[in-house]
Amino acid sequence: MDKISLIIPCYNEEQALPFLYKEIKKVAAEMPGQEFEFIFINDGSRDRTLELVKELRLEDERVHYVSFSRNFGKEAGIYAGLKSATGDYIALIDADLQDPPSLLKEMYESLKSADYDCVATRRVDRKGEPPIRSFFAKQFYRIINKISDTEVVDGARDFRLMTRQMVDSILDMGEYNRFSKGIFGWVGFKTKWIAYENVERIAGQTKWSFFGLFLYSLEGIIAFSTRPLLIASVFGILFCFIAFLMISVIIAKTLLWGDPVAGYPSLICAIFFMGGLQLFCLGILGQYLSKTYLETKKRPIYIVKEKA
Ligand code: UDP
Ligand code: MG
């Protein structure tokens, strides 16, 4: 008999949890041949999420939980969940029912019947999302896939079912700056994609602001590409070359026509431009340095307050 672990990262999900539990219980009942465990990761919720999970545990021994000492972010939650999972097959699923649990059966059957290591999901549309957010999301996937060797699938959700082997490889990646969408691609393995239409969250609110998503996308780029550093160098070389041309022109003009004092405005513009560009490139360097700095500290990815 196979055991399936469901990992559910939860941050202030008291409103959505009852709906989710009902759904996953139903799915588990539809798959009597498989044993289940539900691992709730309480990511420092400030509402009754943990109490609710504890109540569920009283009546259902398949329910387990890991509760963090504070909010560490969903990536940390995923890592903690994968670490605690004891199943042969491990699924990640959001608490807000944006990932339909009813797909689990189909996902499991694909893994069993065909030669796949993972069944992942992507949404084909972004219904119910502000257009400007969708636009930036599209640009992000375009850029990261251009400058990174790791494939990051547009619209991919974290909702996926993986074999134990794949999960063990993910756990081997102990990096502090975790960008799961990249990590899943980086470890490789054969992935089957299931597409579905976007579902809106059942209750509660999204934890992501536009700015939060923007910063997250930069993290993703920095974690899975060093190309921006190359861009900085290319800028440097290009501008040295332009400066060399300009010097030659000025020397020639001076020799031919004397040295009239002119060009003050253009000089100021050039200084500002070069200053800005240098700061920009320094900033890129700084981003990589700060990530390296955090990695070298080897801080734990999360801290557990209680678990069961
Ligand atoms: N989540 C988490 N820690 C956080 C933020 C979110 O564990 O700091 C969980 C959240 O409870 C939910 C999932 O991650 O189960 C996805 O979050 P959300 O629905 O807010 O993101 P969206 O679907 O809007 O991208
Ligand atoms: Mg959601």
Side-chain angles (χ1 to χ4, degrees):
M1 193 158 86
D2 282 329
K3 183 171 179 183
I4 301 179
S5 306
L6 297 190
I7 297 166
I8 309 133
C10 305
Y11 177 49
N12 295 344
E13 297 288 4
E14 61 174 6
Q15 289 174 33
L17 270 192
F19 297 103
L20 174 87
Y21 178 67
K22 218 176 101 195
E23 284 296 312
I24 55 179
K25 208 169 121 179
K26 205 168 93 194
V27 169
E30 281 165 9
M31 299 168 71
Q34 283 73 44
E35 193 187 332
F36 273 85
E37 71 176 350
F38 310 134
I39 305 175
F40 291 87
I41 311 296
N42 174 38
D43 186 12
S45 301
R46 285 170 223 274
D47 63 0
R48 292 192 62 250
T49 300
L50 185 59
E51 279 91 331
L52 281 180
V53 173
K54 283 180 175 168
E55 279 165 25
L56 292 178
R57 184 170 161 74
L58 288 181
E59 55 194 65
D60 188 343
E61 60 186 20
R62 294 172 300 179
V63 171
H64 297 271
Y65 64 85
V66 177
S67 185
F68 291 173
S69 59
R70 64 168 171 85
N71 180 256
F72 279 88
K74 186 183 177 187
E75 298 291 351
I78 291 177
Y79 187 68
L82 293 178
K83 242 186 160 159
S84 326
T86 59
D88 308 297
Y89 294 89
I90 294 106
L92 295 172
I93 188 162
D94 279 3
D96 57 6
L97 282 183
Q98 279 192 293
D99 303 328
S102 51
L103 285 178
L104 276 170
K105 195 164 176 212
E106 182 189 334
M107 290 161 90
Y108 174 73
E109 276 157 13
S110 306
L111 276 192
K112 275 311 245 192
S113 60
D115 176 31
Y116 287 110
D117 305 287
C118 171
V119 181
T121 59
R122 52 185 284 265
R123 43 183 186 172
V124 281
D125 63 328
R126 292 174 167 270
K127 200 173 72 219
E129 198 184 63
I132 179 106
R133 182 175 289 200
S134 306
F135 173 77
F136 276 100
K138 259 220 167 69
Q139 298 313 313
F140 164 69
Y141 285 109
R142 225 175 51 108
I143 292 173
I144 196 165
N145 281 314
K146 236 190 202 131
I147 66 175
S148 168
D149 299 332
T150 306
E151 197 195 359
V152 182
V153 178
D154 186 1
R157 297 200 46 91
D158 290 333
F159 182 32
R160 50 174 65 224
L161 183 69
M162 295 172 277
T163 58
R164 167 60 40 198
Q165 189 191 19
M166 180 164 172
V167 168
D168 285 342
S169 337
I170 293 172
L171 287 174
D172 280 342
M173 295 179 75
E175 59 208 75
Y176 181 79
N177 297 289
R178 301 189 75 77
F179 182 70
S180 288
K181 283 183 173 36
I183 291 177
F184 295 145
W186 195 90
V187 295
F189 293 103
K190 217 172 143 197
T191 301
K192 175 178 177 178
W193 288 93
I194 298 183
Y196 65 89
E197 282 180 13
N198 193 26
V199 186
E200 289 191 41
R201 149 189 275 288
I202 185 128
Q205 268 173 7
T206 175
K207 313 300 177 306
W208 289 98
S209 64
F210 182 77
F211 190 59
L213 275 177
F214 178 70
L215 291 182
Y216 181 62
S217 64
L218 288 187
E219 301 234 318
I221 289 174
I222 290 168
F224 281 91
S225 170
T226 48
R227 201 65 62 81
L229 289 171
L230 183 68
I231 294 172
S233 320
V234 170
F235 265 138
I237 293 170
L238 186 72
F239 277 82
C240 284
F241 184 69
I242 293 175
F244 180 73
L245 281 184
M246 279 157 73
I247 291 168
S248 313
V249 169
I250 287 169
I251 290 177
K253 271 172 87 175
T254 312
L255 289 180
L256 287 176
W257 293 294
D259 186 20
V261 178
Y264 175 75
S266 55
L267 190 67
I268 292 298
C269 292
I271 288 175
F272 268 68
F273 183 65
M274 290 313 298
L277 199 71
Q278 280 172 358
L279 282 182
F280 174 72
C281 293
L282 259 183
I284 294 179
L285 208 65
Q287 285 302 317
Y288 283 89
L289 182 66
S290 74
K291 296 297 168 200
T292 316
Y293 174 61
L294 286 173
E295 291 290 349
T296 53
K297 285 185 179 224
K298 296 230 181 303
R299 285 180 181 163
I301 295 169
Y302 58 88
I303 293 171
V304 177
K305 188 166 173 217
E306 51 179 310
K307 62 191 281 187

